[in-house]
Amino acid sequence: MDTIDAIILGIIQGLTEFLPVSSSGHLELGKAILGDHSVPEESLLFTVVLHFATALSTIVIFRKDIFDIIKGILKFQWNEDMQFLSKIVISMIPAVTVGLFFEEQLEALFGGNILLVGAMLIVTAALLFLADKAKDTNKKVTFSNAFVIGVSQAIAMLPGISRSGATISTSVLLGNDKTKAARFSFLMVVPLIFGKIAKDVLSGDISMESQNFTALSIGFVAAFVAGLFACTWMIALVKKSKLSYFAIYCVIVGLIAITVSFLN
């Protein structure tokens, strides 16, 4: 993998981790358009590095929130911070369950199924349209909300369903404050990313041999910087009810994908 490939892949990962356009769906479409041999294959280590970069960018953006939560937890009281952490844990249950028991079935869906990607992009667009029309409130995410949002996150493991789009939209449609919905959506994925990284590292499948550490470093920086930009931008867009632009984009790409799948 050369420097340009690393930069491009890093930027794509950083942007699509936060913007509601489905990173997995775009990866499948890219493979279909360019061909598997036209796109440099990412090693597992490179994937882990990029995911770590986006998780780190989330931590940087929400550093004050995370620091306050840690301080609250260390008081060992059933305070607001401990409750928030409990909601994060509850939200992780569906995705962890799916990841542990249905990993092979999920992987089978990532084989260039353009029709599925197109259909799921349309679903993502519908969620974004609905969320954009929802009235803003001051309501916080409840425990029951956390589980429902977690179910959305598990469903977003399908190629074409945007994780951020699905979780933020679900939260807003449940009547939660849009800014709080975005905050919860981005913070809830951090433990999952680190859990997935730990699983990949402990699996022994990562090889350190013949790795281009320059490309790894450049990819990390590109994903981190793009993640900082995308995360900040997404929070502002949700607050200003500007998700419909991404919904239109998802509809267009989804319809193109469906059309191409029938033509092939």
Side-chain angles (χ1 to χ4, degrees):
M1 183 181 299
D2 59 28
T3 301
I4 299 300
D5 296 332
I7 293 174
I8 292 174
L9 289 171
I11 292 174
I12 290 175
Q13 170 62 28
L15 291 177
T16 57
E17 180 66 39
F18 301 103
L19 299 182
V21 295
S22 177
S23 57
S24 60
H26 278 68
L27 179 59
E28 291 300 303
L29 291 176
K31 288 180 179 180
I33 294 171
L34 301 175
D36 286 342
H37 300 294
S38 299
V39 179
E41 198 66 28
E42 294 180 61
S43 66
L44 182 55
L45 178 58
F46 190 74
T47 302
V48 168
V49 167
L50 295 190
H51 277 94
F52 178 72
T54 51
L56 188 60
S57 65
T58 307
I59 291 172
V60 170
I61 294 295
F62 291 100
R63 59 190 180 278
K64 184 180 183 301
D65 301 73
I66 293 173
F67 184 65
D68 289 341
I69 291 170
I70 293 173
K71 285 196 302 182
I73 293 171
L74 293 177
K75 293 179 181 178
F76 299 104
Q77 299 173 354
W78 188 242
N79 52 29
E80 187 175 345
D81 296 308
M82 185 64 78
Q83 291 176 35
F84 185 84
L85 178 63
S86 300
K87 293 171 187 176
I88 293 292
V89 173
I90 290 173
S91 73
M92 292 169 56
I93 294 173
V96 171
T97 302
V98 171
L100 288 176
F101 296 102
F102 300 99
E103 184 175 7
E104 292 184 4
Q105 290 86 342
L106 274 174
E107 289 179 352
L109 298 175
F110 288 81
N113 191 338
I114 304 306
L115 178 59
L116 175 62
V117 172
M120 293 302 100
L121 280 170
I122 300 296
V123 172
T124 295
L127 286 171
L128 295 175
F129 270 126
L130 290 172
D132 233 18
K133 302 300 181 182
K135 294 181 180 179
D136 204 2
T137 68
N138 291 318
K139 181 185 173 185
K140 297 179 181 178
V141 176
T142 64
F143 287 96
S144 59
N145 288 166
F147 184 79
V148 176
I149 296 167
V151 171
S152 293
Q153 180 165 248
I155 295 174
M157 297 170 80
L158 293 170
I161 296 288
S162 164
R163 192 209 67 81
S164 62
T167 54
I168 292 174
S169 295
T170 299
S171 184
V172 170
L173 291 172
L174 287 171
N176 295 306
D177 175 81
K178 293 181 179 180
T179 302
K180 292 183 176 69
R183 174 177 177 262
F184 188 81
S185 173
F186 292 141
L187 288 176
M188 70 187 280
V189 76
V190 173
L192 284 178
I193 292 178
F194 282 117
K196 182 64 167 63
I197 290 173
K199 181 177 179 292
D200 291 336
V201 172
L202 295 174
S203 68
D205 294 332
I206 295 179
S207 174
M208 299 296 291
E209 298 178 3
S210 303
Q211 291 292 341
N212 185 340
F213 289 99
T214 300
L216 286 173
S217 301
I218 292 174
F220 175 88
V221 173
F224 177 73
V225 173
L228 290 176
F229 167 76
C231 186
T232 305
W233 188 28
M234 185 62 181
I235 294 171
L237 289 173
V238 172
K239 189 175 182 180
K240 296 178 181 178
S241 297
K242 300 293 185 180
L243 295 180
S244 57
Y245 297 116
F246 291 102
I248 294 170
Y249 171 81
C250 287
V251 167
I252 294 172
V253 176
L255 289 176
I256 293 174
I258 293 172
T259 302
V260 170
S261 70
F262 282 115
L263 294 177
N264 289 339

